[in-house]
């Protein structure tokens, strides 16, 4: 049985490799936007880097079944139910406020690029990496509370390279966005901790992105 230090060392190498590959991709995307900024390429690269690396880590480092390790085989119904419930509790009032009280609009996206990237592949890939692998390994090594905070912090930091390097967000807007991502990271990890199923944060994450985009937030 591996000790906590050994677990953290292996996780550190995984996180370091993952962050370096993702930053490299962000740099390529920014410098060569026309050939690379196509929804098919972006979705494929995200799946390759995020999901591919996570699967390789689980299979060849942890030497375990991928679906079992990611908690996709157990408590699926309960996980989806929790994801739906949290989405209703959090997103429901936001929709009511922006649409019925503020006169806003809720428009479902019609383009494939939006559905395939920010609504589907991004949330699923992020949950696999940050809650499926990182939170689980940190929880084994340092306990649930520290794992919640640390995984949420890493989740916020992975959004930093694109926002900063592309100039999409800067100054107070960047700090605020990072803070929001940290809170989301806590919620997503909390759902895994409560349900022991990756389906819970995955369901809520997809629905949250769908609502956010549909409201134009």
């Amino acid at each position: 049985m591996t000790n906590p230090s050994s677990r953290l060392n292996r996780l550190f190498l995984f996180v370091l490799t993952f962050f370096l590959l993702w930053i490299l991709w962000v740099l390529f995307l920014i410098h060569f936007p026309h050939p690379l900024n196509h929804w098919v390429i972006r979705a494929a690269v995200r799946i390759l880097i995020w999901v591919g690396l996570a699967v390789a880590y689980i299979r060849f480092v942890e030497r375990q079944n991928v679906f079992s390790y990611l908690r996709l085989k157990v408590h699926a119904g309960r996980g989806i139910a929790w994801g739906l419930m949290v989405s209703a509790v959090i997103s429901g009032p936001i929709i009511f406020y922006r649409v019925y009280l503020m006169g806003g609009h809720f428009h479902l996206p019609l383009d494939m690029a939006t559905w395939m990237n920010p609504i589907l592949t991004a949330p699923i890939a992020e949950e696999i990496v940050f809650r499926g692998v990182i939170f689980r390994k940190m929880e084994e090594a340092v306990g649930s509370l520290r794992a919640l905070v640390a995984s949420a912090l890493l989740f916020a930091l992975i959004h930093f390279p694109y926002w900063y390097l592309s100039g999409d967000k800067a100054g107070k807007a960047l700090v605020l966005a990072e803070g929001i991502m940290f809170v989301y990271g806590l919620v997503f990890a909390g759902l895994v901790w409560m349900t022991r199923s990756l389906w819970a944060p995955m369901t809520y994450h997809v629905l949250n992105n769908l609502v956010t985009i549909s409201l134009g937030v």
Side-chain angles (χ1 to χ4, degrees):
M1 186 174 181
T2 57
N3 57 47
S5 178
S6 177
R7 293 173 186 167
L8 286 177
N9 288 338
R10 294 189 302 189
L11 180 62
F12 173 77
L13 291 175
F14 168 78
V15 171
L16 180 62
T17 303
F18 167 67
F19 267 76
L20 289 176
L21 287 175
W22 187 246
I23 292 172
L24 183 63
W25 162 248
V26 168
L27 289 171
F28 271 105
L29 185 61
I30 292 171
H31 285 88
F32 307 101
H34 296 298
L36 297 178
N37 197 21
H38 188 279
W39 70 265
V40 174
I41 296 176
R42 295 189 67 166
V45 171
R46 187 183 297 275
I47 291 171
L48 180 65
I49 294 178
W50 294 61
V51 180
L53 191 61
V55 169
Y57 174 83
I58 295 167
R59 289 288 294 117
F60 301 112
V61 177
E62 296 298 324
R63 299 183 182 278
Q64 295 194 39
N65 177 272
V66 174
F67 288 96
S68 296
Y69 188 87
L70 291 175
R71 294 165 172 161
L72 291 171
K73 281 188 171 183
V74 295
H75 309 309
R78 183 173 70 182
I80 293 172
W82 267 92
L84 291 171
M85 180 180 66
V86 172
S87 180
V89 170
I90 296 178
S91 299
I94 295 174
I95 295 173
F96 180 79
Y97 173 77
R98 293 186 66 89
V99 174
Y100 293 98
L101 296 183
M102 299 300 295
H105 300 281
F106 187 92
H107 296 297
L108 288 173
L110 300 176
D111 60 297
M112 187 63 71
T114 302
W115 278 100
M116 286 303 299
N117 282 287
I119 294 177
L120 293 176
T121 60
I124 292 172
E126 288 172 358
E127 291 312 313
I128 287 174
V129 171
F130 285 96
R131 267 60 68 175
V133 175
I134 294 175
F135 173 73
R136 173 163 183 164
K137 289 304 298 180
M138 294 202 73
E139 187 179 34
E140 293 174 357
V142 299
S144 300
L145 182 58
R146 291 180 180 177
L148 279 164
V149 175
S151 64
L153 179 60
L154 289 172
F155 177 67
L157 289 176
I158 198 59
H159 293 81
F160 181 84
Y162 182 79
W163 286 341
Y164 179 76
L165 294 174
S166 68
D168 186 60
K169 288 179 173 53
K172 293 181 179 179
L174 178 59
V175 174
L176 177 61
E178 285 292 304
I180 292 172
M181 288 302 108
F182 176 74
V183 173
Y184 273 129
L186 291 175
V187 174
F188 296 143
L191 281 170
V192 171
W193 176 74
M194 287 188 296
T195 65
R196 293 299 157 183
S197 171
L198 195 64
W199 289 104
M202 198 176 287
T203 300
Y204 172 53
H205 200 156
V206 169
L207 291 175
N208 175 77
N209 285 19
L210 174 61
V211 168
T212 300
I213 292 169
S214 298
L215 289 174
V217 178

